[in-house]
Amino acid sequence: MDNSGTFAHQHDGAGCAQHVRGDDCRFCNVRHLSICAALDPEELSFLEDMSGDAIYAEKSTLFREEDDVVSIFNVTFGVVRLVRSLSDGRRQITGFALPGDFLGLSLEKNWSFTAEAVTEVRACRFKRSIFEDFSDRKPHLMKRMHEFATHELSLAQDHMVLLGRLTAEEKIATFLVAMKRRWTRVEGHELGLIRLPMGRQDIADYIGLTIETVSRVINQMQRDRKLVIVPDGIRFVDPAYFDEHALR
Amino acid sequence: MDNSGTFAHQHDGAGCAQHVRGDDCRFCNVRHLSICAALDPEELSFLEDMSGDAIYAEKSTLFREEDDVVSIFNVTFGVVRLVRSLSDGRRQITGFALPGDFLGLSLEKNWSFTAEAVTEVRACRFKRSIFEDFSDRKPHLMKRMHEFATHELSLAQDHMVLLGRLTAEEKIATFLVAMKRRWTRVEGHELGLIRLPMGRQDIADYIGLTIETVSRVINQMQRDRKLVIVPDGIRFVDPAYFDEHALR
DNA sequence: CGCCATGTTGATTTCTATCAAATTGAGTGG
DNA sequence: CCACTCAATTTGATAGAAATCAACATGGCG
C-alpha cells in the first residue's frame, strides 16, 4: 500500500516535510507504545489508509502554536521539542516527544505550542478531520486518547513540582532519570548511555534554568564521579546518587 | 429524591464529610460550567441517582495522593487546593479547583495529588465505578471528559511557563489576572474584587515562590497604586498594568 | 584549515530565599 | 465588651543560588 502524496497539498508543517511511502501499521516499530495499540487489525487497516509517513529534518518545524490543527502526528523516530515562547524571546519547553508519543490529543482548533524537530524526525501523520470522525465512531479509541491525555496531565504535574520546587541539581538529576526511563521504554531494553539528543539550551528551557547553570551542574556531577559525559548523552557512574536526588 | 447516606459507608475522604440531601441536578448552580452540561435530562436524572452531595469543612482533606480513587467530585461551592508534597515538606500546588471543576477525570486507580478544602467546600460526589461504567456507555460524556482533560493540559502548560520563566512580579500579576477571569466565569459577571480565599502560603506554593516574596510583591504593588488589598482578596486599581505584565 | 555553532568556565550581580522580628486580626473566653 | 491568644501576614536584614556578562574552548563541517 502506498500513501505517498496523501498530504502533498497541505500547508501545515514547515514545508520541509518529505513524504515517504506509507508504512504498513503491522510493522510499526512504536505501535505497542502508541495510541494505535488500542485498535484491532481492521481498524488499523482503515487508519493506515488515512495516514502517511512524513520526515522532518533536524531543526525544522512541524507546526507553530498559532497554526490550525490540520494534521495530527504519531512520532515514530527522533525527538520533537514542544515549545511555548514569550514575545521577548524567553521560552519554556513543555515536553519532548519521543517515538510512540502522540501530538494532537486535544481535538481543539489550534495548537497551543510549537513543535520543532530536535533530530531528524519521522512521524505517522493523519488528517485531523478524518481522525476525529474515526475516533467519534470508536469509543475505545477515544478512551485510549483520554488515557493518554490524563497520563500527560500527571506528567505535567510532576514537571510543575520540578519547576516550582526543585534546586538546579535536583532538576538535572530528575531530568536525567526521566530520560533514562523513557528511552528504556522506547528501546525496549536498557542502554548503557542515556541519550540526550537535545542541546544544553533545550534542557535549560525545559527545566527552567540557564544554559550556563545546566552546563555547570552536569560538569560538576562529572567531576564528582556521578556521571560521565559521552558523545550524544551521558552515562551514570553512580546510579544510587540519582535515585536519591531525583524526584520519585 | 433523597440520596442522603448513599456514601455513608465509604472510607475515602477525610471522614469529616457531611452527607446532605442529594440535590436535583436541574437546579445545579454549576451545571452549565461542568461535565454535566454534556448530558441530556434523562442521563442527568440517571446520574443524579448515582450522586450525593458532600460538604467538607475548611482545611479538611477530600483525598490524599496515595488513596485509591473511590469517588470522583464535581465542586459546586468553595475552593479546593490540589497538592503534591515532597518528603522534606516542600509542596507544589498544581491547581485550585473552583465551582464547576471536576476531580477524577483520569480514571486511574489512584489519585496523583492530595485535595484539601481551602474554604468550606460542597461537591457533588459519584462512585467512581458507577461513573466509569456510565461514561463507557456514553461516548459523548467520554468526549466531554477528554475535552476537559486536554483543556487542563493546556492550563498546565501555561503554568509551566509561569513557573519556569516568569519573574516574581510577573507570576503574581499572571496569577491575579487568572483568578479574576476564573471567578468572573463562575459568578457569571465581573465582581469589583478578586477573591483570594487561599492564604499567601498557598499562593506561594502555587506559583513557586516563598510566602515572604508573595507578600512583598503584592504589598509593593499596593504602594505603587496598582491594586489595593481588601478583606478576602484584592482590587485592581490599574488594570492596564496587569494586562501588560500578565502572561497572555 | 578555519569557521561558526555549541558548550564550558570565570567573575560578578541580582533576585529571591532565608532568618528574624514585629504587626495584624480573627476567634475565644473571662 | 475587651483582653488574650495564636495563626497569618508583613517587614527588615542578610545570605545564597542561579542569572548575567564575558571570555574561551571544542568540535563538526564546509
Side-chain angles (χ1 to χ4, degrees):
Chain A
M1 172 167 307
D2 189 345
N3 293 320
S4 61
T6 300
F7 297 91
H9 300 296
Q10 279 183 210
H11 294 294
D12 63 334
C16 50
Q18 174 184 329
H19 301 282
V20 299
R21 195 178 173 287
D23 270 335
D24 189 324
C25 292
R26 285 174 300 175
F27 304 132
C28 175
N29 58 323
V30 298
R31 183 152 65 88
H32 66 293
L33 301 171
S34 81
I35 285 277
C36 301
L39 302 171
D40 66 33
E42 191 198 338
E43 291 165 346
L44 214 53
S45 149
F46 176 83
L47 212 55
E48 191 176 294
D49 293 345
M50 304 290 98
S51 73
D53 261 29
I55 299 187
Y56 294 88
E58 190 177 324
K59 296 184 171 58
S60 68
T61 302
L62 281 73
F63 51 81
R64 291 175 213 283
E65 46 191 314
E66 62 274 13
D67 289 348
D68 284 355
V69 180
V70 178
S71 302
I72 58 184
F73 304 80
N74 210 350
V75 178
T76 56
F77 176 87
V79 176
V80 180
R81 61 172 175 253
L82 313 179
V83 184
R84 291 230 179 170
S85 298
L86 302 184
S87 47
D88 63 2
R90 284 177 288 180
R91 20 170 249 174
Q92 176 67 40
I93 291 178
T94 58
F96 293 104
L98 265 46
D101 289 337
F102 190 85
L103 303 175
L105 279 173
S106 95
L107 306 179
E108 270 173 43
K109 196 181 158 293
N110 33 252
W111 297 101
S112 55
F113 53 86
T114 294
E116 296 165 342
V118 170
T119 62
E120 178 182 280
V121 166
R122 286 174 226 169
C124 185
R125 199 164 69 164
F126 307 88
K127 275 240 171 195
R128 173 258 177 91
S129 57
I130 292 170
F131 188 85
E132 199 171 349
D133 291 346
F134 185 65
S135 66
D136 279 346
R137 282 180 285 112
K138 303 286 178 186
H140 60 292
L141 178 58
M142 179 61 78
K143 190 173 184 184
R144 177 110 173 130
M145 290 175 69
H146 184 238
E147 284 163 5
F148 267 61
T150 56
H151 181 246
E152 281 202 18
L153 198 49
S154 174
L155 295 177
Q157 288 163 358
D158 290 343
H159 205 59
M160 286 185 214
V161 178
L162 179 146
L163 290 170
R165 288 293 178 238
L166 300 195
T167 63
E169 189 185 0
E170 291 170 323
K171 284 176 173 183
I172 296 282
T174 302
F175 169 71
L176 294 176
V177 168
M179 285 311 294
K180 177 188 164 99
R181 190 168 39 228
R182 292 185 72 188
W183 280 120
T184 299
R185 191 176 122 82
V186 169
E187 314 256 359
H189 57 94
E190 198 162 314
L191 238 47
L193 98 163
I194 299 166
R195 280 188 212 287
L196 298 176
M198 66 292 290
R200 297 289 187 262
Q201 185 63 61
D202 283 346
I203 296 174
D205 286 338
Y206 181 52
I207 64 183
L209 295 172
T210 58
I211 184 173
E212 294 96 330
T213 300
V214 169
S215 181
R216 265 188 260 275
V217 172
I218 292 180
N219 282 282
Q220 186 58 50
M221 284 174 172
Q222 178 164 242
R223 268 174 247 121
D224 296 343
R225 313 245 178 263
K226 309 302 184 200
L227 55 74
V228 288
I229 299 168
V230 295
D232 218 43
I234 65 103
R235 203 180 292 276
F236 282 167
V237 171
D238 182 359
Y241 164 84
F242 290 95
D243 290 341
E244 227 179 292
H245 287 76
L247 175 57
R248 50 178 61 227
Chain B
M1 165 170 312
D2 188 346
N3 293 321
S4 59
T6 300
F7 296 93
H9 300 295
Q10 277 183 210
H11 295 294
D12 64 332
C16 50
Q18 176 185 329
H19 300 283
V20 298
R21 192 177 176 288
D23 269 336
D24 188 323
C25 293
R26 284 174 300 176
F27 303 132
C28 175
N29 60 322
V30 297
R31 183 152 66 89
H32 66 291
L33 301 171
S34 81
I35 286 276
C36 302
L39 302 170
D40 65 35
E42 190 198 340
E43 292 163 344
L44 214 52
S45 148
F46 176 83
L47 213 56
E48 191 175 293
D49 294 344
M50 305 290 99
S51 74
D53 261 29
I55 300 188
Y56 294 88
E58 191 177 325
K59 297 183 172 56
S60 68
T61 303
L62 281 73
F63 51 81
R64 291 175 212 283
E65 45 190 315
E66 62 274 14
D67 290 348
D68 284 355
V69 181
V70 178
S71 302
I72 57 184
F73 303 80
N74 210 350
V75 177
T76 55
F77 177 86
V79 177
V80 179
R81 59 171 176 254
L82 313 179
V83 184
R84 291 232 180 167
S85 297
L86 301 184
S87 48
D88 63 1
R90 284 177 288 180
R91 25 171 245 173
Q92 176 68 39
I93 291 178
T94 58
F96 293 104
L98 267 44
D101 289 338
F102 190 85
L103 304 176
L105 278 173
S106 95
L107 305 179
E108 270 173 43
K109 194 182 158 294
N110 34 254
W111 296 102
S112 55
F113 52 86
T114 294
E116 297 165 342
V118 171
T119 61
E120 177 182 281
V121 166
R122 285 174 227 170
C124 185
R125 199 162 71 166
F126 306 89
K127 275 239 170 198
R128 174 256 177 92
S129 57
I130 292 170
F131 189 85
E132 199 170 348
D133 291 345
F134 186 66
S135 66
D136 278 347
R137 281 181 285 110
K138 302 287 178 186
H140 60 291
L141 178 58
M142 178 61 78
K143 190 173 184 183
R144 177 111 172 129
M145 289 176 69
H146 184 239
E147 285 164 4
F148 267 62
T150 55
H151 180 245
E152 282 202 17
L153 198 50
S154 175
L155 295 178
Q157 289 164 358
D158 290 343
H159 205 58
M160 287 185 213
V161 178
L162 178 146
L163 289 169
R165 287 292 178 240
L166 299 195
T167 64
E169 187 186 1
E170 290 169 324
K171 284 176 173 184
I172 296 281
T174 302
F175 169 71
L176 294 175
V177 168
M179 285 310 294
K180 178 189 163 97
R181 190 168 39 228
R182 292 185 71 189
W183 281 120
T184 299
R185 193 176 120 82
V186 169
E187 316 256 359
H189 57 95
E190 199 163 314
L191 238 45
L193 98 164
I194 299 166
R195 281 189 211 287
L196 299 176
M198 66 293 290
R200 297 288 187 261
Q201 185 63 60
D202 284 345
I203 296 174
D205 287 338
Y206 181 54
I207 64 183
L209 295 172
T210 58
I211 184 173
E212 294 95 330
T213 300
V214 170
S215 182
R216 266 188 257 275
V217 172
I218 292 180
N219 282 282
Q220 187 58 50
M221 284 174 171
Q222 179 164 240
R223 268 174 247 120
D224 295 344
R225 313 246 179 265
K226 309 302 185 200
L227 55 75
V228 288
I229 299 168
V230 294
D232 218 43
I234 64 102
R235 204 181 292 277
F236 282 165
V237 172
D238 182 359
Y241 165 83
F242 290 95
D243 290 342
E244 227 179 293
H245 287 76
L247 175 56
R248 49 181 58 233

